[in-house]
């Protein structure tokens, strides 16, 4: 319980509060813009943190990271285009509920689940750092291989109609993943002589091409004089409130999603994307009405949103204790994370 020796009053200074507010605003804004995401948000904010106090700098980056993970759900719900890769799963039920005339309610479900997931991830970071780090150290190549197989099988289970198509999609994903330079031999694979493909296919570009471009082509194929606008009534402050009955609908999915997000976040290299898919699959399997998933089920919104926000705390565990980023997003603030953990929080390994 070394964190109890920390001076919490330093978190309420003007500089730290300004850093938290600025980071949250920028993170939500960039996360809501399709094709950008948490990594770009952190990269843009990193130069600003160089001239700041280490405490304010790390809070700025953490607030940006957490805000971006939530911001991706805004465009996923309203536009049907995921702002971040992790928000892809939110499109299924979030956008479906939005098309039913309840975009505000979908945003409220997303925000509530995100808060639950974020708090759960923070508590895990504080109380479970020791045991969870020991668990992460025990994972080797065979376990990573089994986790990869589990992810592929999860894709097949997500489809309620045609599992063959889901498996074909998984195989196509593996084929796309082979593009680029081989990590062991250094030989280029399926690059066709293009330097841009040496690092593989960028996930954000792939998602934008699959969802944003296809949506634009659909709009162009229709009458261009039609104006597309969101139902303002559905976004009013009264429509964005959740009753206790509404909260009960998503409590189980949010809880399970938070646990999944924490566990997946701890495993280096996984991140919020796989956590969202796993959480969606579990929420669907444990739901009393799985047939409504993809048609605006609140659990289909809450599960993935809780998971991708809980991965923030989970991904920081191996970063602060082992020096290994738990997700691609945590690699950019690596220097400040290590400096704070070694000096301020005294989480450095003991001899």
């Amino acid at each position: 319980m070394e964190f109890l020796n920390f001076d919490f009053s330093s978190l309420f200074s003007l500089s730290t509060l300004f850093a938290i507010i600025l980071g949250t605003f920028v993170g939500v804004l960039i996360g809501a813009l399709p094709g950008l995401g948490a990594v770009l948000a952190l990269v843009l904010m990193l130069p600003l943190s160089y001239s700041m106090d280490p405490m304010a700098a790390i809070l700025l980056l953490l607030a940006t990271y957490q805000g971006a993970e939530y911001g991706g759900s805004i465009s996923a719900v309203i536009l049907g285009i995921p702002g971040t890769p992790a928000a892809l799963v939110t499109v299924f039920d979030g956008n479906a509920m939005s098309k039913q005339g309840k975009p505000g309610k979908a945003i409220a479900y997303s925000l509530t689940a995100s808060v639950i997931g974020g708090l759960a991830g923070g508590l895990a970071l504080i109380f479970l750092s020791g045991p969870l780090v020991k668990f992460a150290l025990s994972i080797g190549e065979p376990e990573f291989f089994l986790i990869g197989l589990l992810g592929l099988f999860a894709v097949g289970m997500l489809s309620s109609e045609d599992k063959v198509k889901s498996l074909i999609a998984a195989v196509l994903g593996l084929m796309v993943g082979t593009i680029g330079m081989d990590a062991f031999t250094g030989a280029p694979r399926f690059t066709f002589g293009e330097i841009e493909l040496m690092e593989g296919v960028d996930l954000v570009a792939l998602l934008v091409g699959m969802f944003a471009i296809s949506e634009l082509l659909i709009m162009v194929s229709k009458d261009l004089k039609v104006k597309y606008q969101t139902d303002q009534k559905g976004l009013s402050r009264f429509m964005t409130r959740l009753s206790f009955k509404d909260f009960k609908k998503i409590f189980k999915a949010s809880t399970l999603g938070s646990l999944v997000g924490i566990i997946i976040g701890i495993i280096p290299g996984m991140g919020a994307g796989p956590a969202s898919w796993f959480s969606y699959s579990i929420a669907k399997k444990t739901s009393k009405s799985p047939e409504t998933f993809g048609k605006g089920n609140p659990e289909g919104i809450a599960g993935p949103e809780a998971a991708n926000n809980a991965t923030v705390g989970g991904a920081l565990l191996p970063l602060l204790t082992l020096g290994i980023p738990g997700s691609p997003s945590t690699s950019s603030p690596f220097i400040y994370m290590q400096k704070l953990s070694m000096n301020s929080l005294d989480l450095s390994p003991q001899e």
Side-chain angles (χ1 to χ4, degrees):
M1 295 294 179
E2 293 290 337
F3 75 95
L4 294 177
N5 298 326
F6 179 73
D7 183 12
F8 287 94
S9 62
S10 61
L11 297 175
F12 298 96
S13 64
L14 291 178
S15 60
T16 55
L17 290 176
F18 174 76
I20 293 173
I21 295 173
L22 177 63
T24 302
F25 174 77
V26 173
V28 172
L29 179 63
I30 295 181
L33 297 176
L36 300 183
V39 176
L40 181 59
L42 287 168
V43 170
L44 292 176
M45 298 301 287
L46 193 58
L48 181 63
S49 66
Y50 288 155
S51 59
M52 300 175 66
D53 180 80
M55 175 68 73
I58 195 62
L59 291 176
L60 173 70
L61 296 173
L62 285 176
T64 303
Y65 183 16
Q66 189 77 68
E69 289 296 349
Y70 165 70
S73 64
I74 297 177
S75 57
V77 170
I78 303 300
L79 303 176
I81 305 172
T84 61
L88 170 61
V89 194
T90 310
V91 174
F92 301 150
D93 289 276
N95 188 244
M97 184 178 291
S98 178
K99 290 180 178 179
Q100 295 171 8
K102 297 182 288 185
K105 185 71 73 173
I107 290 291
Y109 282 126
S110 170
L111 178 59
T112 303
S114 298
V115 171
I116 294 175
L119 290 175
L123 292 175
L125 178 62
I126 293 174
F127 294 104
L128 303 178
S129 57
L132 292 179
V133 165
K134 292 180 180 178
F135 172 76
L137 285 172
S138 65
I139 294 178
E141 285 78 6
E143 288 80 8
F144 276 109
F145 176 73
L146 292 177
I147 291 172
L149 285 181
L150 183 60
L152 295 177
F153 286 128
V155 172
M157 293 187 295
L158 289 175
S159 176
S160 58
E161 297 180 358
D162 197 335
K163 291 182 172 54
V164 175
K165 289 184 179 180
S166 296
L167 293 175
I168 292 176
V171 173
L172 290 176
L174 290 174
M175 294 174 64
V176 174
T178 60
I179 298 175
M181 183 180 294
D182 186 87
F184 295 99
T185 65
R189 301 175 301 183
F190 308 109
T191 59
F192 304 103
E194 298 292 334
I195 299 178
E196 291 79 5
L197 293 177
M198 294 294 286
E199 295 184 359
V201 178
D202 184 75
L203 181 59
V204 175
L206 181 63
L207 290 178
V208 171
M210 290 177 60
F211 292 92
I213 302 299
S214 61
E215 186 68 22
L216 289 174
L217 293 176
I218 292 174
M219 294 172 63
V220 170
S221 64
K222 299 178 180 178
D223 189 358
L224 295 180
K225 296 182 180 180
V226 177
K227 294 183 179 180
Y228 295 86
Q229 55 185 1
T230 304
D231 185 7
Q232 298 295 325
K233 295 181 180 179
L235 286 172
S236 66
R237 63 187 182 94
F238 297 104
M239 293 296 292
T240 56
R241 294 180 178 179
L242 292 184
S243 63
F244 182 72
K245 183 178 179 181
D246 294 329
F247 179 75
K248 288 175 61 178
K249 294 179 182 178
I250 64 171
F251 180 75
K252 183 174 71 172
S254 300
T255 303
L256 293 175
S258 299
L259 294 175
V260 171
I262 292 170
I263 295 173
I264 298 298
I266 294 171
I267 302 174
M270 295 292 284
S276 298
W277 283 103
F278 277 114
S279 178
Y280 186 84
S281 178
I282 293 174
K284 187 175 182 179
K285 294 296 180 181
T286 58
S287 175
K288 296 180 180 179
S289 53
E291 69 280 356
T292 62
F293 273 65
K295 302 177 182 178
N297 191 314
E299 294 177 286
I301 303 173
E305 283 302 305
N308 61 42
N309 281 270
T311 54
V312 175
L316 292 176
L317 278 169
L319 177 66
L320 293 176
T321 54
L322 305 176
I324 303 174
S327 67
S329 301
T330 57
S331 60
S332 51
F334 176 79
I335 297 176
Y336 281 119
M337 291 286 187
Q338 282 297 94
K339 183 176 181 179
L340 186 64
S341 64
M342 297 298 183
N343 299 333
S344 301
L345 298 182
D346 194 23
L347 292 177
S348 57
Q350 301 296 323
E351 295 183 359

